[in-house]
């Protein structure tokens, strides 16, 4: 696996170079090349906006021209927003990430200056153009955002840090759900809930469907049984009283 | 199709609210809700950083508490970075986008304050947690970046503006490639390139493979034929001279 190299072509603000470094490192990219930065390099504005991604800035290589910056790269992608009448394949960041993942060679992604983007001459060296599919009525991605979307898509090919499901407790065994449902039925029966009696089966099926949907775990079912228990208590007592009263009749 | 609502819970800086609006509109989202913004609302710092996404800010609704902000929503997602010991499903922005797309109901995505993120109480209302898979050694997404990744993933379900391949001219018909290859063979033959003669077939297959790989279009082939032609010219003349010389022998 070879990570893609992010190449900033004639970037303007050091602050944006720092933001790019931050965006990159979030998704595991750490090789940054900078071609002819307007305000020179190193640039004191870059560090603060890198928010800790200093390693990327420290390792960044500076080149005076595009040709030397890409000399060791096998596949070059150029990011552009506007159409340029250049007859090259246009791919999404997602498609590019997959291609990059599938080659085991040096891939580079070019990003143009903040204001103007890549020149046609820069785009010429690329095998493909990366364009982020964007709101046709409002396309306003800044440099670091364009970088982060490409880095993010690449990171997906790496199983970088997939969210863990390990915290989720398993759904309780059916017997526990059944016991809870039975407790509920009993409590409802006591309260005269199932009326008319011939509808009891249908009503219970409806309840079981509802209570099955959540796929509760054991702890949740225990909690719910406590809830049902608590709800039953005083009415049961009341009922018990009523029953006693009835018996007294 | 119902677009997800972006809900900022107690955001701190107006500048970041503007950046969120910009991130949203880039990917077609325009419904923003703001809960208890620290510096009040409207906030004069929001406009400039929205970079033209003013419509999102103008339409933004402000709420004093989470419950009223999500009252009309069917599915709530909470974005968090840190694990919180809460036993909920954790999904990626991609998985969440797919779920949101598949329901035709009101979905909301909660984003916490810049410094601290969502509180446990905020997370409780969510059915799932969205976590961006990130570099385990450097996780530093800011608010607008978290929003843009979620909005971007959602936009993918919309075929918002898929890159167009229409500018790419079709690969030329085989006859045009053949004519070019034949022209090249002829030119090379004239130059005595195919030597020893018994290797000619193998050498030509190698050339054909190389020239087939690029899948050139008609215009490109015409250009290349001009190139070959130009390259041939003076040597051909020279050869012609040589041939004449030979004949003179």
């Amino acid at each position: 696996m070879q990570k893609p190299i992010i190449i900033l072509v004639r970037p303007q603000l050091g602050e944006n170079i720092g933001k790019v470094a931050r965006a990159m490192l979030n998704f595991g990219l750490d090789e940054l090349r900078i071609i002819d930065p307007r305000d020179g390099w190193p640039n004191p504005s870059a560090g603060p906006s890198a928010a800790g991604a200093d390693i990327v800035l420290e390792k960044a290589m500076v080149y005076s021209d595009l040709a030397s910056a890409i000399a060791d790269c096998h596949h070059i992608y150029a990011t552009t927003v506007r159409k340029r009448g250049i007859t090259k394949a246009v791919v999404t960041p997602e498609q590019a990430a997959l291609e990059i993942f599938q080659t085991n060679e040096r891939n580079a992604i070019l990003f143009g200056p903040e204001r103007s983007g890549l020149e046609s001459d820069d785009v010429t060296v690329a095998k493909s153009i990366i364009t982020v599919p964007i709101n046709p009525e409002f396309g306003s991605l800044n440099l670091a955002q364009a970088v982060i979307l490409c880095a993010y898509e690449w990171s997906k090919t790496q199983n970088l840090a997939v969210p863990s499901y390990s915290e989720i407790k398993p759904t309780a065994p059916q017997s526990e759900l059944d016991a809870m449902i039975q407790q509920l039925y009993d409590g409802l029966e006591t309260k005269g809930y199932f009326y008319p009696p011939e509808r009891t089966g249908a009503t219970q099926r409806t309840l079981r469907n509802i209570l099955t949907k959540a796929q509760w775990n054991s702890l949740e079912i225990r909690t719910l049984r406590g809830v049902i228990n608590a709800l039953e208590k005083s009415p049961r007592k009341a009922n018990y009283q009523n029953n006693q009263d009835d018996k007294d009749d």
Side-chain angles (χ1 to χ4, degrees), chain A residues 80 83 86 88-92 95 127-132:
Chain A
T80 71
K83 303 207 167 189
I86 294 169
K88 277 183 207 283
V90 179
V91 295
T92 61
Q95 291 165 327
K127 76 160 187 176
S128 306
I129 291 173
I130 298 178
T131 294
V132 179

Side-chain angles (χ1 to χ4, degrees), chain A residues 17-187:
Chain A
I17 301 173
K19 286 180 181 172
V20 164
R22 176 183 181 180
M24 288 171 61
L25 196 55
N26 266 315
F27 295 105
L29 298 185
D30 50 14
E31 191 164 351
L32 176 64
R33 297 182 180 180
I34 308 171
I35 299 172
D36 190 21
R38 188 190 67 185
D39 300 337
W41 192 259
N43 183 323
S45 312
S49 63
D54 303 303
I55 180 75
V56 179
L57 297 177
E58 285 158 18
K59 283 173 52 186
M61 301 282 289
V62 178
Y63 298 82
S64 58
D65 60 282
L66 179 57
S68 51
I70 61 174
D72 62 339
C73 301
H74 296 83
H75 304 285
I76 318 293
Y77 292 86
T79 55
T80 71
V81 179
R82 290 164 290 166
K83 303 207 167 189
R84 294 173 169 278
I86 294 169
T87 55
K88 277 183 207 283
V90 179
V91 295
T92 61
E94 189 175 15
Q95 291 165 327
L98 213 71
E99 290 177 7
I100 290 170
F101 174 65
Q102 284 163 351
T103 73
N104 195 24
E105 294 160 325
R106 301 286 276 165
N107 285 268
I109 309 177
L110 308 182
F111 295 84
E114 292 92 321
R115 192 154 300 276
S116 54
L118 290 170
E119 298 294 322
S120 297
D121 271 358
D122 307 321
V123 176
T124 305
V125 302
K127 76 160 187 176
S128 306
I129 291 173
I130 298 178
T131 294
V132 179
I134 211 163
N135 184 349
E137 285 155 28
F138 182 82
S140 170
L141 277 187
N142 66 29
L143 178 56
Q145 286 168 340
V147 171
I148 208 168
L149 292 176
C150 291
Y152 164 74
E153 284 290 4
W154 176 80
S155 79
K156 285 199 207 167
T157 67
Q158 301 299 306
N159 289 325
L160 194 60
V162 290
S164 160
Y165 287 78
S166 61
E167 283 187 6
I168 304 178
K169 292 193 174 64
T171 300
Q174 189 62 29
S175 59
E176 294 183 14
L177 181 67
D178 283 350
M180 185 192 83
I181 290 176
Q182 193 55 53
Q183 180 193 351
L184 184 67
Y185 287 173
D186 291 349

